[in-house]
């Protein structure tokens, strides 16, 4: 079975940093685009970032460009999101998801999410 | 950026009713449009991809249609377990964008 398990969420002060991790299993991680999607409390879904299979292409939503970095370790089946200069508006549940590009261009598998709270 | 406008924002219907949710894109998506269902406290679940293809394991009462800029998700006979929020998402280009969501409730 496909499993995506996020970790690393928590409470952080404005201006602080946090790194989220996602452990993947049950599919060929090295052959899959991956991404992060977030959801602020009581709000809708917002795409955050995607990374290509080999890490050669990365894309970000405008609001996090220059502050967030996405990376992957295909040897460890692991995806990361490094978040710097965090703001209150970054408070959300962050989901790790596989972005399937073969005829779908959407997220077919999702983790359960990890909550990031930015507050003093 | 491609804007996704989803209507209605909420719908209340009876068990067995037909429910239709619409998503309009600000640019031509070809057919790169997906629909998700999300229940409280849970991750989104993919229902439809490429506008009209049913994801494996999803009940056949769910269907998608449309191309270009106008798309529809239909629940042919609403069931109690279909309550939740529904989102469309465009996969045509980055930045990926979602519709604002539709809350489906049982009357």
């Amino acid at each position: 079975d496909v499993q995506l398990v996020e970790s690393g969420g928590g409470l952080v002060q404005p201006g602080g940093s946090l790194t989220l991790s996602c452990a993947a299993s049950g599919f060929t991680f090295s052959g899959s685009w991956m991404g992060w999607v977030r959801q602020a409390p009581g709000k809708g879904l917002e795409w955050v970032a995607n990374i290509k299979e080999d890490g050669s292409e990365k894309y970000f939503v405008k609001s996090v460009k220059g502050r967030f970095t996405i990376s992957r370790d295909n040897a460890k089946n692991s995806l990361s999101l490094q978040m710097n200069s965090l703001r209150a508006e970054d408070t959300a549940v962050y989901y790790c998801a596989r972005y399937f590009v073969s005829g779908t261009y959407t997220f077919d598998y999702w983790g359960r999410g990890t909550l990031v709270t930015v507050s003093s | 950026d491609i804007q996704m406008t989803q209507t209605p924002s909420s719908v209340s219907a009876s068990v067995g009713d037909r429910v239709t949710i619409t998503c309009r894109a600000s640019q031509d998506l070809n057919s790169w449009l997906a629909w998700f269902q999300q229940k409280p406290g849970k991750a989104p679940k993919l229902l439809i991809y490429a506008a009209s293809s049913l994801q494996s394991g999803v009940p056949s009462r769910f269907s998608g249609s449309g191309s270009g800029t106008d798309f529809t998700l239909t629940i042919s006979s609403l069931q109690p377990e279909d309550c939740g929020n529904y989102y469309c998402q465009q996969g045509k280009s980055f930045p990926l964008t979602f519709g604002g969501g539709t809350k489906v409730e049982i009357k």
Side-chain angles (χ1 to χ4, degrees), chain A residues 29-101:
Chain A
F29 181 78
S30 61
S32 301
W33 280 71
M34 297 296 296
W36 291 94
V37 175
R38 67 185 179 183
Q39 187 169 36
K43 302 297 184 182
L45 300 171
E46 179 184 38
W47 170 75
V48 176
N50 267 29
I51 185 169
K52 196 177 178 182
E53 298 99 324
D54 60 1
S56 63
E57 293 181 34
K58 301 174 184 181
Y59 301 90
F60 298 90
V61 68
K62 191 179 301 184
S63 61
V64 310
K65 275 182 188 175
R67 300 189 299 122
F68 288 13
T69 301
I70 188 172
S71 61
R72 63 191 298 158
D73 185 338
N74 286 344
K76 296 183 178 179
N77 286 355
S78 177
L79 177 72
S80 295
L81 184 70
Q82 182 176 347
M83 305 183 295
N84 298 326
S85 302
L86 283 161
R87 306 166 180 167
E89 54 265 35
D90 296 317
T91 294
V93 174
Y94 285 73
Y95 295 101
C96 163
R98 184 176 83 158
Y99 186 66
F100 199 55
V101 299

Side-chain angles (χ1 to χ4, degrees), chain A residues 33 37 39 43-47 50 59-62 95 99 103-113, chain B residues 1 32 34 36 38 41-46 49-50 55 87 89-92 94-100:
Chain A
W33 280 71
V37 175
Q39 187 169 36
K43 302 297 184 182
L45 300 171
E46 179 184 38
W47 170 75
N50 267 29
Y59 301 90
F60 298 90
V61 68
K62 191 179 301 184
Y95 295 101
Y99 186 66
T104 69
Y105 295 98
T106 190
F107 300 98
D108 58 351
Y109 295 111
W110 297 65
R112 293 185 174 183
Chain B
D1 298 2
W32 301 127
F36 295 89
Q38 186 180 33
K42 300 292 187 181
K45 173 187 174 183
L46 178 63
Y49 63 89
Q55 175 71 347
Y87 298 92
Q89 173 251 320
Q90 66 83 12
K92 175 72 183 302
F94 292 107
L96 304 177
T97 43
F98 289 87

